[in-house]
Amino acid sequence: QVQLVESGGGLVQPGGSLRLSCAASGITFSVYAMGWYRQAPGKQRELVARISSGGTVEYADSVKGRFSISRDDAKNTVHLQMNSLKPEDTAVYYCNAEWTRRGNNYWGQGTQVTVSS
């Protein structure tokens, strides 16, 4: 059974920081590309950051220079360090695991991030 469990969300003031974590089980973590997506009320889910199995990273333009994604294959975890948070970063953040070669794609349940004073 595949599980992706996010943690680390919460309420933070503008300019603050949060670190999201996603713990994966039931998959061969090292072969999966791992990503963080977010969905704000009334908007479509969008890619925030993604890290390939080989460590190549990509970011949405809106978070470049503020967010950093990393992975620990020994612990089957992926992290998203979010700095200089803005109110527009408010959303539910979802962890994603994708193995394109097999067509496998899994989602976590999401964690709420609220940036407000």
Side-chain angles (χ1 to χ4, degrees):
Q1 181 182 358
V2 178
Q3 283 192 310
L4 300 177
V5 180
E6 300 102 334
S7 60
L11 173 64
V12 64
Q13 292 187 341
S17 298
L18 282 175
R19 187 179 191 234
L20 305 183
S21 297
C22 172
S25 60
I27 60 173
T28 305
F29 185 83
S30 61
V31 305
Y32 280 75
M34 300 300 298
W36 287 96
Y37 291 71
R38 66 187 181 188
Q39 188 167 20
K43 294 188 177 181
Q44 289 189 334
R45 190 173 298 189
E46 63 176 359
L47 173 69
V48 176
R50 185 175 183 270
I51 184 167
S52 72
S53 58
T56 301
V57 300
E58 60 179 297
Y59 297 96
D61 287 343
S62 59
V63 307
K64 283 180 181 176
R66 300 188 298 122
F67 290 12
S68 177
I69 188 170
S70 62
R71 63 188 295 157
D72 185 340
D73 287 356
K75 296 182 178 180
N76 289 3
T77 58
V78 62
H79 303 287
L80 184 68
Q81 178 66 44
M82 306 187 294
N83 300 325
S84 302
L85 282 160
K86 303 175 181 180
E88 50 264 43
D89 294 317
T90 295
V92 178
Y93 283 70
Y94 296 91
C95 179
N96 175 263
E98 182 181 23
W99 188 9
T100 304
R101 181 175 296 181
R102 293 285 180 91
N104 294 350
N105 195 297
Y106 304 106
W107 293 92
Q109 82 287 350
T111 185
Q112 177 70 46
V113 172
T114 302
V115 185
S116 175
S117 55

